[in-house]
Amino acid sequence: MSTDIRCIVPAHDLLGESPLWCEATQSLLWLDIDGGRLQRFHPESGRHDSHAFTQRFVGSLALTRDPSVVLLGIDLGLYLFHMGRGELQPLCQVEDAALDNRLNDGRCDAQGRFWVGTMDNQLHRPHGAFYRVDADGTVHRQFGDVIVSNTMAFSPDQRRLYFSDTRRFTTWQFDFDAAAGTATNRRVFVDHGAQRWRPDGACVDAQGHVWNAIFAAGKVIRFTPDGKVDRVVELPVSNPTCVCLGGHERRTLFITTARKFLDRAQLLREPLAGSVLAIDVDVPGLPEHRFAHPAHDD
């Protein structure tokens, strides 16, 4: 694995998040949550597109089976967004809009269902929850008592689901039944409490290792399938937010980052804060699963 860190997209995202590699378009998609933007970058051409929204937060992202349409979590609702036409179509309301929460990290399983958590906007109250959203927009609450939901990922065989509460400094794993759409037998995968590390977004490679961005610690860590530290990549920014594997042979680890919570002196020391970074890895990723909304099914 190369340790050379390069800047793929020099940006100033307040809270860059949720990078996903689209095989169909050979492009990277990601969000600026606090900036209210969906972005897409095509490495071969260098084209960088940005779609801005007027709502407060754009917190979740998933691909659909139509490469021109994505699933967006905006505030507490899910929407289908047609990038070519700029059209936003409501799908469902995940939580009551009266709650001071927002949607955060999410991911699709192999059956095309979307698993997503909510988080407290004040970052300390256990008001969030974890949900499964079916292709028709039906919402199924899994559990509550969540402060900041993160690290939504599945093992390559779809038998494990990973989930973190960033502010509890813990990543859990569940037994996942893909046919039934259930997550059971919750247990600790990594306890970050001793270091006070904040587990943020994650992805899983073809060997089942979990790449996890550690917010406010300036690093990305690769954990083995049994939760041991395998590799640590130190970054030139304090706030990495999420990772995905894509690019040529899916051997590029893309890393979104944030300027949020950094003061002026820190921003001067970290000119790449808010940019998309990347390193080359030896173990490839897997194609991203897509939301199976009936209107855009094959």
Side-chain angles (χ1 to χ4, degrees):
M1 185 187 81
S2 171
T3 56
D4 293 334
I5 300 163
R6 59 191 188 276
C7 179
I8 297 296
V9 183
H12 292 86
D13 292 344
L14 292 173
L15 188 56
E17 258 287 6
S18 301
L20 296 175
W21 180 257
C22 177
E23 297 278 341
T25 60
Q26 290 291 291
S27 60
L28 179 74
L29 294 93
W30 77 102
L31 305 173
D32 180 355
I33 292 178
D34 284 30
R37 292 188 299 157
L38 165 68
Q39 300 177 78
R40 180 169 59 179
F41 178 69
H42 187 251
E44 186 174 339
S45 68
R47 178 171 175 171
H48 179 199
D49 297 315
S50 180
H51 302 272
F53 301 89
T54 58
Q55 290 89 341
R56 185 178 177 189
F57 298 112
V58 183
S60 306
L61 173 65
L63 306 177
T64 76
R65 296 180 179 180
D66 181 342
S68 67
V69 177
V70 295
L71 181 70
L72 292 178
I74 299 179
D75 294 338
L76 285 168
L78 287 173
Y79 299 79
L80 294 165
F81 178 64
H82 194 293
M83 291 181 283
R85 299 197 296 264
E87 293 178 358
L88 199 61
Q89 173 189 343
L91 176 69
C92 63
Q93 189 74 12
V94 177
E95 275 186 355
D96 189 329
L99 291 173
D100 188 23
N101 284 350
R102 69 165 174 83
L103 289 164
N104 203 43
D105 203 15
R107 181 163 259 110
C108 290
D109 63 22
Q111 281 68 37
R113 298 167 297 218
F114 189 56
W115 296 77
V116 64
T118 56
M119 59 169 278
D120 172 37
N121 285 326
Q122 305 302 316
L123 303 177
H124 64 88
R125 301 169 300 182
H127 291 178
F130 187 53
Y131 299 89
R132 187 191 85 214
V133 181
D134 294 344
D136 62 359
T138 304
V139 178
H140 303 269
R141 189 177 189 270
Q142 305 296 303
F143 55 83
D145 196 36
V146 175
I147 304 173
V148 176
S149 58
N150 252 314
T151 316
M152 246 313 302
F154 295 94
S155 62
D157 62 6
Q158 295 277 292
R159 296 179 65 181
R160 288 186 182 183
L161 180 151
Y162 300 97
F163 175 86
S164 289
D165 190 330
T166 301
R167 292 287 171 148
R168 296 192 194 276
F169 312 106
T170 305
T171 302
W172 293 275
Q173 61 180 333
F174 297 76
D175 293 334
F176 183 64
D177 185 327
T182 57
T184 57
N185 189 24
R186 176 174 177 166
R187 64 239 185 235
V188 173
F189 177 62
V190 179
D191 182 349
H192 306 272
Q195 303 90 349
R196 305 293 282 181
W197 283 347
R198 301 180 192 175
D200 208 319
C203 69
V204 177
D205 66 23
Q207 291 181 350
H209 292 71
V210 180
W211 284 99
N212 199 179
I214 309 297
F215 192 85
K219 64 189 69 185
V220 171
I221 300 178
R222 184 185 192 235
F223 294 98
T224 63
D226 59 357
K228 302 295 190 297
V229 173
D230 176 68
R231 296 175 186 172
V232 179
V233 179
E234 301 288 346
L235 300 171
V237 297
S238 296
N239 295 336
T241 57
C242 195
V243 292
C244 78
L245 286 158
H248 182 62
E249 296 182 341
R250 297 190 291 275
R251 293 178 188 269
T252 299
L253 184 75
F254 294 103
I255 307 162
T256 50
T257 69
R259 296 167 63 83
K260 189 173 183 176
F261 303 124
L262 300 180
D263 60 28
R264 177 175 288 188
Q266 289 173 304
L267 290 171
L268 287 173
R269 292 194 300 269
E270 301 181 19
L272 294 180
S275 296
V276 180
L277 309 179
I279 60 172
D280 295 325
V281 299
D282 48 359
V283 178
L286 298 164
E288 196 70 33
H289 296 300
R290 295 169 178 266
F291 188 62
H293 188 260
H296 301 104
D297 210 345
D298 294 332

